[in-house]
Amino acid sequence: MAEDVFKALADPTRRKILDELTERNGQTLFEICTRLTTKHGLGSSRQAISQHLAVLESAGLVVSRRQGRYKFHDLDTQPLERIVTRWLKPDAPEGTP
Amino acid sequence: MAEDVFKALADPTRRKILDELTERNGQTLFEICTRLTTKHGLGSSRQAISQHLAVLESAGLVVSRRQGRYKFHDLDTQPLERIVTRWLKPDAPEGTP
DNA sequence: TTGATAGGCAAGTCGTTACTTGCCTATGCT
DNA sequence: AGCATAGGCAAGTAACGACTTGCCTATCAA
């Protein structure tokens, strides 16, 4: 639902995670943790990031695939494209009769 | 800031207000209140809507103009267009070389 | 098999936020 | 002037959300 997408986007840490996955897709939880602390400078614990990933996943913004003991996370921008057209309708992007 | 925009969009009542202003721009506080209760069926008090409008206004999504004892509220979608391109950049909409 | 790595689950804490309640200001009409 | 309408301010309450803490499971390498 759109509700979940908006609530998922409300948190700055979750938006940083989306930024990180935009740069490099298919990261594991620990990869995201380390790159968030080093590059973006925010010290969030593993559990915190894990819960954020769960929120993003239930919103459909992130899909995960398990492989052995690793769990890779991929970005999915489809939910984003849907929610924005809500108030931008009178724009008539291109193929509108 | 983008922070304010995302937080403003996180609340379902505020999104309904944006829906309402999309349908009819330039409404007063009382107009929005009555149309939200009648059409959308959600019973929010005047003060609640007033505070929501303040949040939307500080996020730049709504601009207000005072005229006598009335205060009209207009939708501004510019902040929306900015925040979405954040993760949709590789899309290259149409006029991109 | 043992240890190390990658991740999950659940309860509890603390801050934020949406909403209420009560009162106040300002404009317009008669 | 007097009253009604349109809106604002501020403190208090209740619930939600982010984060922590502690322990548990599963996979791989030695």
Side-chain angles (χ1 to χ4, degrees), chain A residues 29 33 45-55:
Chain A
L29 172 59
C33 281
S45 70
R46 178 185 64 88
Q47 291 83 353
I49 301 296
S50 176
Q51 289 167 0
H52 281 311
L53 282 172
V55 173

Short mmCIF file of all heavy atoms in Angstrom, two decimals, chain A residues 29 33 45-55, chain C residues 7-9:
data_model
loop_
_atom_site.label_atom_id
_atom_site.label_comp_id
_atom_site.label_asym_id
_atom_site.label_seq_id
_atom_site.Cartn_x
_atom_site.Cartn_y
_atom_site.Cartn_z
N LEU A 29 23.32 -7.11 4.77
CA LEU A 29 23.06 -6.26 5.93
C LEU A 29 24.34 -5.64 6.46
O LEU A 29 24.41 -4.44 6.72
CB LEU A 29 22.38 -7.10 7.02
CG LEU A 29 22.20 -6.47 8.39
CD1 LEU A 29 21.36 -5.20 8.30
CD2 LEU A 29 21.54 -7.45 9.35
N CYS A 33 25.58 -1.75 6.73
CA CYS A 33 25.97 -1.18 8.02
C CYS A 33 27.31 -0.47 7.93
O CYS A 33 27.45 0.71 8.32
CB CYS A 33 26.05 -2.28 9.08
SG CYS A 33 24.46 -2.79 9.74
N SER A 45 23.26 0.75 14.71
CA SER A 45 23.58 -0.63 15.04
C SER A 45 23.04 -1.58 13.97
O SER A 45 22.23 -1.20 13.13
CB SER A 45 22.98 -1.00 16.39
OG SER A 45 21.58 -1.09 16.28
N ARG A 46 23.51 -2.82 14.01
CA ARG A 46 23.06 -3.81 13.05
C ARG A 46 21.56 -4.05 13.17
O ARG A 46 20.84 -4.12 12.16
CB ARG A 46 23.81 -5.12 13.30
CG ARG A 46 23.40 -6.26 12.39
CD ARG A 46 24.11 -7.53 12.79
NE ARG A 46 23.72 -7.97 14.13
CZ ARG A 46 22.66 -8.75 14.38
NH1 ARG A 46 21.90 -9.16 13.40
NH2 ARG A 46 22.37 -9.11 15.61
N GLN A 47 21.07 -4.16 14.38
CA GLN A 47 19.65 -4.41 14.58
C GLN A 47 18.79 -3.28 14.05
O GLN A 47 17.72 -3.50 13.48
CB GLN A 47 19.34 -4.61 16.07
CG GLN A 47 19.90 -5.89 16.65
CD GLN A 47 21.35 -5.74 17.03
OE1 GLN A 47 21.96 -4.71 16.74
NE2 GLN A 47 21.92 -6.74 17.65
N ALA A 48 19.26 -2.07 14.26
CA ALA A 48 18.50 -0.92 13.76
C ALA A 48 18.37 -0.99 12.24
O ALA A 48 17.27 -0.84 11.70
CB ALA A 48 19.20 0.38 14.18
N ILE A 49 19.48 -1.25 11.57
CA ILE A 49 19.44 -1.34 10.11
C ILE A 49 18.59 -2.52 9.66
O ILE A 49 17.86 -2.45 8.67
CB ILE A 49 20.88 -1.48 9.56
CG1 ILE A 49 21.73 -0.27 10.00
CG2 ILE A 49 20.86 -1.57 8.04
CD1 ILE A 49 21.27 1.03 9.46
N SER A 50 18.67 -3.61 10.41
CA SER A 50 17.86 -4.78 10.08
C SER A 50 16.38 -4.46 10.13
O SER A 50 15.60 -4.86 9.24
CB SER A 50 18.19 -5.92 11.06
OG SER A 50 17.36 -7.02 10.83
N GLN A 51 15.98 -3.73 11.15
CA GLN A 51 14.56 -3.36 11.26
C GLN A 51 14.17 -2.37 10.16
O GLN A 51 13.06 -2.42 9.63
CB GLN A 51 14.28 -2.77 12.64
CG GLN A 51 14.33 -3.81 13.75
CD GLN A 51 14.36 -3.21 15.12
OE1 GLN A 51 14.35 -1.98 15.28
NE2 GLN A 51 14.39 -4.05 16.14
N HIS A 52 15.08 -1.47 9.83
CA HIS A 52 14.80 -0.54 8.75
C HIS A 52 14.62 -1.28 7.43
O HIS A 52 13.73 -0.96 6.63
CB HIS A 52 15.93 0.47 8.62
CG HIS A 52 15.87 1.56 9.64
ND1 HIS A 52 14.73 2.29 9.90
CD2 HIS A 52 16.82 2.07 10.46
CE1 HIS A 52 14.97 3.17 10.84
NE2 HIS A 52 16.23 3.06 11.21
N LEU A 53 15.46 -2.28 7.20
CA LEU A 53 15.34 -3.07 5.98
C LEU A 53 14.01 -3.83 5.94
O LEU A 53 13.41 -3.99 4.87
CB LEU A 53 16.51 -4.04 5.87
CG LEU A 53 17.84 -3.43 5.40
CD1 LEU A 53 18.96 -4.44 5.50
CD2 LEU A 53 17.71 -2.92 3.97
N ALA A 54 13.55 -4.27 7.10
CA ALA A 54 12.26 -4.96 7.15
C ALA A 54 11.12 -4.01 6.76
O ALA A 54 10.19 -4.40 6.04
CB ALA A 54 12.02 -5.51 8.56
N VAL A 55 11.23 -2.77 7.22
CA VAL A 55 10.21 -1.78 6.87
C VAL A 55 10.24 -1.50 5.37
O VAL A 55 9.19 -1.47 4.71
CB VAL A 55 10.42 -0.48 7.67
CG1 VAL A 55 9.47 0.60 7.21
CG2 VAL A 55 10.23 -0.74 9.15
P DG C 7 24.07 -10.65 6.36
OP1 DG C 7 23.54 -10.49 5.02
OP2 DG C 7 24.81 -9.55 7.01
"O5'" DG C 7 22.87 -11.08 7.31
"C5'" DG C 7 22.18 -12.28 7.02
"C4'" DG C 7 21.33 -12.70 8.19
"O4'" DG C 7 22.14 -12.87 9.36
"C3'" DG C 7 20.25 -11.70 8.61
"O3'" DG C 7 19.00 -12.17 8.16
"C2'" DG C 7 20.33 -11.67 10.13
"C1'" DG C 7 21.25 -12.83 10.45
N9 DG C 7 21.99 -12.65 11.69
C8 DG C 7 23.04 -11.81 11.91
N7 DG C 7 23.50 -11.87 13.13
C5 DG C 7 22.68 -12.81 13.76
C6 DG C 7 22.68 -13.30 15.09
O6 DG C 7 23.43 -12.98 16.02
N1 DG C 7 21.68 -14.24 15.30
C2 DG C 7 20.78 -14.66 14.34
N2 DG C 7 19.89 -15.56 14.72
N3 DG C 7 20.78 -14.21 13.10
C4 DG C 7 21.74 -13.30 12.87
P DG C 8 17.66 -11.38 8.59
OP1 DG C 8 16.69 -11.62 7.50
OP2 DG C 8 18.04 -10.01 8.95
"O5'" DG C 8 17.13 -12.12 9.90
"C5'" DG C 8 16.99 -13.54 9.88
"C4'" DG C 8 16.26 -14.01 11.13
"O4'" DG C 8 17.16 -13.95 12.25
"C3'" DG C 8 15.04 -13.16 11.50
"O3'" DG C 8 13.97 -14.00 11.88
"C2'" DG C 8 15.54 -12.31 12.67
"C1'" DG C 8 16.58 -13.22 13.31
N9 DG C 8 17.65 -12.48 13.97
C8 DG C 8 18.46 -11.55 13.39
N7 DG C 8 19.35 -11.04 14.22
C5 DG C 8 19.08 -11.69 15.42
C6 DG C 8 19.70 -11.55 16.69
O6 DG C 8 20.64 -10.81 17.01
N1 DG C 8 19.12 -12.38 17.64
C2 DG C 8 18.08 -13.24 17.40
N2 DG C 8 17.65 -13.95 18.44
N3 DG C 8 17.49 -13.37 16.21
C4 DG C 8 18.04 -12.57 15.28
P DC C 9 12.52 -13.34 12.16
OP1 DC C 9 11.53 -14.28 11.63
OP2 DC C 9 12.53 -11.93 11.70
"O5'" DC C 9 12.40 -13.34 13.75
"C5'" DC C 9 12.85 -14.48 14.47
"C4'" DC C 9 12.56 -14.33 15.95
"O4'" DC C 9 13.69 -13.72 16.61
"C3'" DC C 9 11.36 -13.44 16.28
"O3'" DC C 9 10.58 -14.05 17.29
"C2'" DC C 9 11.98 -12.14 16.72
"C1'" DC C 9 13.30 -12.60 17.34
N1 DC C 9 14.40 -11.61 17.25
C2 DC C 9 15.17 -11.33 18.38
O2 DC C 9 14.92 -11.91 19.43
N3 DC C 9 16.18 -10.44 18.28
C4 DC C 9 16.43 -9.83 17.11
N4 DC C 9 17.44 -8.96 17.04
C5 DC C 9 15.66 -10.10 15.94
C6 DC C 9 14.65 -10.98 16.06
#
